[in-house]
Amino acid sequence: MTKSALVVEGGAMRGIFASGVLDIFMKNEFMPYDFAIGVSAGASNLLGYLSNAPQRSFHVITKLATHKRFFNIPRFAKGGDLVDVKWLIDESNIRHPLDLDTLFSSIPMYAAVTNIDSGHADYYQVKENNLNDVIEATTALPIAYKSTPCFSGGCYTDGGVADSIPVKEAYRRGARDITVILSHPLSYEMKAPKSSWLITKLLSRYPQIAKAMLVRADNYNLSLEFIRNPPEGTTVRVIAPPEDFAVKRLSMKSPILMEGYQMGVSAGLNHLSSRDGTFGLDTENCHFCI
């Protein structure tokens, strides 16, 4: 039997799109996967999905991630965190407690983190004894979050630095039917950083992370190439925002976030329709939607 996986990209506030998709999946009790892998906000979205908590991610993004206790430019200017990841995790768990029994009786969930010593991605299975550590690590934006989460003998930063779309990791783990929820429209390709010297300077304490940031665009685009041209015998189903998706990494305005969420809801409905043959959608008339 073909093993299937769900991969959810991060992208900070862009994660509002995936939250809409996954809310539709929950509403329709749709979970045909053997395991899931998330990165950064994508991992946070998966927590809501796998614990069957509709709109948890929506509220975390629209109410907590827009709160000045989380995102604070004056604090950053004074040498503090631009984003307080630990506060966001703790406050999310207080306001929207996870059903751990449901979460850990669901399919296995993995999260990508970037090892600060190697600059490469490590993939942790999320378990009850490492839940907060892994989620903090996978969402610990370099520079914007001053803390360096350390656990299990290593120290880490945002998984998106080394592997923003872990579709190859899903393949390596045996999946041959992979569904990917992206945070950018299908036309997007990441461009190389313009100020490589600045990245090297800002991350001088972590030279391997600086190197990983400098090749991040190349790795990201290679993942897109894998998605567009998967190995023989592998199906990759893509759910991506439409071209007019206006949410940026640090978008804070409620109307923009609401519109992005509704785009995710629509994309989730379209995906389910394509999976069950409704509307006659297939590979001939719905590129990348099945």
Side-chain angles (χ1 to χ4, degrees):
M1 186 174 179
T2 301
K3 186 180 285 190
S4 63
L6 175 64
V7 174
V8 186
E9 184 183 359
M13 305 303 275
R14 290 191 187 101
I16 195 70
F17 175 79
S19 76
V21 174
L22 294 174
D23 276 353
I24 288 299
F25 283 11
M26 282 183 268
K27 185 176 181 180
N28 288 272
E29 299 181 355
F30 182 77
M31 192 185 290
Y33 311 109
D34 295 299
F35 64 92
I37 307 179
V39 184
S40 194
S44 298
N45 271 320
L46 281 175
L47 290 181
Y49 175 54
L50 298 180
S51 62
N52 192 33
Q55 290 216 309
R56 181 184 194 269
S57 294
F58 171 81
H59 289 302
V60 168
I61 294 170
T62 60
K63 302 299 183 185
L64 299 182
T66 58
H67 196 286
K68 65 180 181 180
R69 183 64 180 80
F70 172 66
F71 178 73
N72 192 309
I73 294 175
R75 182 179 61 203
F76 185 60
K78 295 175 183 177
D81 295 319
L82 178 62
V83 292
D84 189 339
V85 172
K86 193 173 190 310
W87 176 85
L88 183 66
I89 293 169
D90 292 343
E91 195 69 13
S92 298
N93 290 335
I94 291 169
R95 298 196 193 186
H96 308 284
L98 289 164
D99 182 339
L100 297 181
D101 289 338
T102 300
L103 175 61
F104 294 114
S105 63
S106 186
I107 60 173
M109 171 186 165
Y110 301 88
V113 297
T114 302
N115 189 301
I116 65 168
D117 292 322
S118 68
H120 299 309
D122 291 339
Y123 306 89
Y124 278 96
Q125 183 173 352
V126 175
K127 298 183 178 180
E128 194 163 355
N129 65 346
N130 69 9
L131 172 59
N132 286 350
D133 287 333
V134 172
I135 296 302
E136 182 184 9
T138 192
T139 53
L141 290 169
I143 303 171
Y145 185 55
K146 306 295 185 181
S147 302
T148 304
C150 298
F151 61 96
S152 297
C155 295
Y156 307 96
T157 191
D158 192 305
V161 172
D163 193 359
S164 296
I165 315 171
V167 63
K168 292 182 182 178
E169 178 64 14
Y171 180 83
R172 190 188 71 80
R173 290 178 181 271
R176 297 297 179 266
D177 187 332
I178 305 170
T179 298
V180 183
I181 305 178
L182 296 176
S183 298
H184 290 279
L186 285 171
S187 63
Y188 177 78
E189 286 200 357
M190 187 176 287
K191 293 179 172 58
K194 294 180 180 179
S195 303
S196 57
W197 64 270
L198 182 59
I199 291 174
T200 301
K201 181 178 180 180
L202 291 173
L203 292 168
S204 59
R205 289 177 57 200
Y206 307 110
Q208 295 307 316
I209 297 302
K211 289 180 181 178
M213 289 288 286
L214 294 178
V215 298
R216 182 173 178 240
D218 291 337
N219 290 334
Y220 188 96
N221 294 333
L222 285 172
S223 293
L224 290 178
E225 182 62 25
F226 182 98
I227 288 168
R228 294 179 181 124
N229 298 287
E232 186 176 351
T234 301
T235 298
V236 178
R237 311 169 192 268
V238 178
I239 307 172
E243 294 298 324
D244 58 347
F245 184 63
V247 182
K248 307 301 181 187
R249 177 173 289 276
L250 295 176
S251 291
M252 296 288 159
K253 294 182 179 179
S254 181
I256 292 175
L257 294 173
M258 283 296 301
E259 183 181 33
Y261 175 78
Q262 290 301 325
M263 288 177 172
V265 167
S266 296
L269 289 169
N270 288 341
H271 182 76
L272 295 185
S273 297
S274 71
R275 292 288 293 253
D276 66 17
T278 307
F279 309 134
L281 300 177
D282 57 32
T283 52
E284 294 301 316
N285 61 16
C286 188
H287 182 54
F288 272 163
C289 79
I290 68 168

